């Protein structure tokens, strides 16, 4: 168990002006932001990031969506960060997301679900390094 996870505020939430609201929920839940940037993924970069989903039927849609507009990427620190952050974001499908979660409040569908959260310590490290050098992590 490490104390860091990785997140992205996805294009749907960025377009709707929810970046500030989501960052506030993250801070209020006790996460410390140790790296953050706003960027726009190319189709190629979005495809690389979601390479593990390459065989899934929604891969093409996911790549289109994630490269549609700007995102905010961040590394977050808290004890048991991966699990705690998955609890804060809620289920992939907002219809199944618990009350008080980010996806319950801000997601509109299973695809356009406002935020990403790493699913393991190993992936958190890989995903964080995809966006941030050591010099950009505080
Ligand atoms: P997560 O770990 O909760 O983000 O969910 P997954 O790892 O299963 O899926 C990764 C991302 O792919 C999700 O966050 C969604 O943006 C997208 N996704 C998952 N299932 C579907 C689907 O059935 N249709 C579409 N269009 N996108 C999906």
């Amino acid at each position: 168990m490490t104390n860091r996870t990785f997140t992205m505020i996805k294009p749907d939430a960025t377009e709707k002006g929810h970046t500030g609201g989501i960052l506030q929920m993250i801070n209020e839940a006790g996460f410390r932001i140790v790296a953050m940037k706003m960027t726009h993924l190319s189709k190629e970069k979005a495809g690389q990031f979601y390479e593990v989903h390459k065989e899934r039927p929604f891969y093409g849609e996911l790549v289109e969506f994630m490269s549609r507009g700007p995102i905010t990427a961040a590394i977050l620190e808290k004890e048991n960060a991966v699990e705690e952050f998955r609890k804060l974001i809620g289920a992939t499908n907002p219809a199944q997301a618990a009350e008080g979660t980010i996806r319950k409040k801000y997601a509109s569908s299973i695809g356009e679900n406002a935020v990403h959260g790493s699913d393991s310590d190993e992936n958190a490290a890989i995903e964080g390094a995809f966006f941030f050098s050591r010099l950009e992590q505080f």
Side-chain angles (χ1 to χ4, degrees):
M1 180 175 99
T2 65
N3 58 356
R4 288 188 173 192
T5 190
F6 171 79
T7 187
M8 288 185 284
I9 298 172
K10 296 184 178 182
D12 59 323
T14 308
E15 283 158 12
K16 292 174 186 159
H18 294 322
T19 303
I22 291 170
L23 290 175
Q24 187 175 356
M25 283 180 80
I26 290 172
N27 278 327
E28 283 173 354
F31 291 88
R32 190 171 78 86
I33 295 167
V34 301
M36 185 162 73
K37 71 172 73 158
M38 195 167 184
T39 185
H40 188 155
L41 292 170
S42 63
K43 277 186 199 172
E44 190 195 351
K45 282 284 174 201
Q48 274 172 23
F49 185 87
Y50 282 109
E51 191 97 43
V52 289
H53 293 311
K54 207 165 186 157
E55 305 308 323
R56 309 271 287 270
F58 57 81
Y59 179 72
E61 255 180 61
L62 179 58
V63 169
E64 280 294 323
F65 163 55
M66 287 303 296
S67 58
R68 181 170 90 195
I71 58 131
T72 296
I75 297 174
L76 307 175
E77 192 173 81
K78 188 184 181 178
E79 199 173 320
N80 200 14
V82 166
E83 200 182 322
E84 288 294 306
F85 193 66
R86 295 292 301 195
K87 272 192 230 157
L88 177 65
I89 68 177
T92 309
N93 185 346
Q96 284 148 18
E99 229 26 88
T101 61
I102 293 175
R103 282 172 169 165
K104 176 73 180 182
K105 188 162 184 191
Y106 292 117
S108 39
S109 69
I110 192 168
E112 302 203 1
N113 58 6
V115 278
H116 169 81
S118 304
D119 63 4
S120 67
D121 288 346
E122 190 193 0
N123 284 336
I126 293 168
E127 292 169 0
F130 189 89
F131 284 90
F132 301 101
S133 76
R134 295 287 306 151
L135 285 172
E136 295 170 312
Q137 299 181 34
F138 304 93

